[in-house]
Amino acid sequence: MVSNGEQTSMDLQDSIPIIDYFLLTLGTVDDRSKVVHDLGKACQDWGCFMLVNHGIPETVIHEMINASNDFFNMTKEEKVEFAANGVLDPIRCSTGFNPVDKHKDSLWREYLRLIVHPEFHCPHKPPGFSELASDYVKRTRTVAMELVKGVSESLGFEELYMNEELNLDSGFQLLAINYYPSLVEFDTPRGLMPHTDHGLLTLLYENGVPGLEVLRNGKWVGMSDVPNAFLVLNSDHLEIFSNGKYKSKLHRTVVKDERKRITLVNPNGPSLDTVVGPSSRLVDGGNCLPGYLPMKYSEYLEMQTKLTMAGKHAFDIVRLHI
Ligand SMILES: O=C(O)CCC(=O)C(=O)O
Ligand SMILES: [Fe+2]
């Protein structure tokens, strides 16, 4: 399930957890409680898992990937109207680089980043792209919200507790589409520097070309292709809200395959004006102290962008060293 990272061999027993969405949402009461247990274990032990049987038809995902390919294959002139820099710009098409040193070890990718909830934003071209994206993000949002309910239960809360505390009905959802060109198109190292995502859970689908690695026990572990599965990663605000129980997952991308890699990535967060800190039900001021400073989600996003440009890690600003 997980291919070995370049640095080490992994114990075969230690493979990335698999969570069955069908059993979580439509299984029997016993099925659900087992999956909730497995989900909590996956979030605590690995910080990520593969999600299977999610019910989003393969054709819907593949059409979205093909339309994304068409988007990136438009000319620079056609894409220029979608260029932007601000973290809260609703549509941003740009390229990635190593912010610390642009000339050394720089990693290339092109990306399109869209705010898709609470309001949906999308380029009006190529034809049909916006309709496909709108359908795709509604489906991934449903899946993400069901997963959050399961995560909420796995922390010992009611299933809607996180939804209510974090105002998820007006939650901030992004669709980030990453395009790592084929070596024929572009002969430069392709990838993305190590980072964690903001929000609660990120859903990631790749086009079958490998590249994503997660840090596991101090070693980078590559993710191999599980057919029609999403990789789900714990993100910063899940770590904060769970007061450190479910750690945000450090990941990076290194594309060695000569084919192009396209990924569809959905970070799912609270509403922008929610102040996120450790859940009051997990800290008691006595034995269990808060490990993180509360911060408004929108402020966190802005701070994260600035610090990333400076090669620093935003997450460390809110983490208290107790
Ligand atoms: O495209 C990938 O392989 C990873 C993308 C990612 O981590 C992100 O967009 O935050
Ligand atoms: Fe990421």
Side-chain angles (χ1 to χ4, degrees), residues 109 176 178 180 192 195 197 204 212 251 253 261 263 265:
R109 91 190 140 119
N178 296 298
Y180 309 85
L192 183 52
H195 66 281
D197 295 340
L204 182 148
L212 192 114
H251 55 286
T253 299
R261 170 176 169 85
T263 55
V265 184

Side-chain angles (χ1 to χ4, degrees), residues 12 69 88 93 103 109 130 160 176 179 216 225 265 304 322:
L12 281 178
N69 186 45
L88 294 178
C93 184
H103 305 291
R109 91 190 140 119
S130 175
L160 288 178
Y179 181 89
R216 169 87 176 143
D225 197 25
V265 184
Q304 188 185 45
I322 48 172

Side-chain angles (χ1 to χ4, degrees), residues 1-2 10-21 34-53 147 214-216 221-224 226 229-234 249:
M1 209 49 63
V2 170
M10 290 284 296
D11 182 340
L12 281 178
Q13 301 276 310
D14 190 37
S15 51
I16 190 165
I18 304 223
I19 297 294
D20 189 321
Y21 183 81
K34 179 174 183 320
V35 180
V36 165
H37 173 265
D38 293 348
L39 186 57
K41 200 163 173 291
C43 288
Q44 189 165 8
D45 178 26
W46 268 80
C48 61
F49 54 89
M50 301 302 302
L51 186 71
V52 297
N53 290 333
L147 286 176
V214 295
L215 197 65
R216 169 87 176 143
V221 179
M223 186 190 87
S224 69
V226 178
F230 282 91
L231 172 69
V232 182
L233 297 155
N234 290 0
K249 193 68 187 165

Side-chain angles (χ1 to χ4, degrees), residues 23 63 65 114 139 207 310:
L23 293 181
E63 280 180 30
I65 288 178
L114 310 173
R139 292 173 186 268
N207 68 334

Side-chain angles (χ1 to χ4, degrees), residues 16 29 46 53 76 82 86 93 100 284 297:
I16 190 165
V29 173
W46 268 80
N53 290 333
K76 263 192 196 149
F82 308 120
C93 184
V100 180
D284 59 15
Y297 186 42

Side-chain angles (χ1 to χ4, degrees), residues 282-296:
L282 294 176
V283 294
D284 59 15
N287 291 333
C288 200
L289 295 169
Y292 304 81
L293 282 174
M295 187 182 277
K296 206 185 201 185

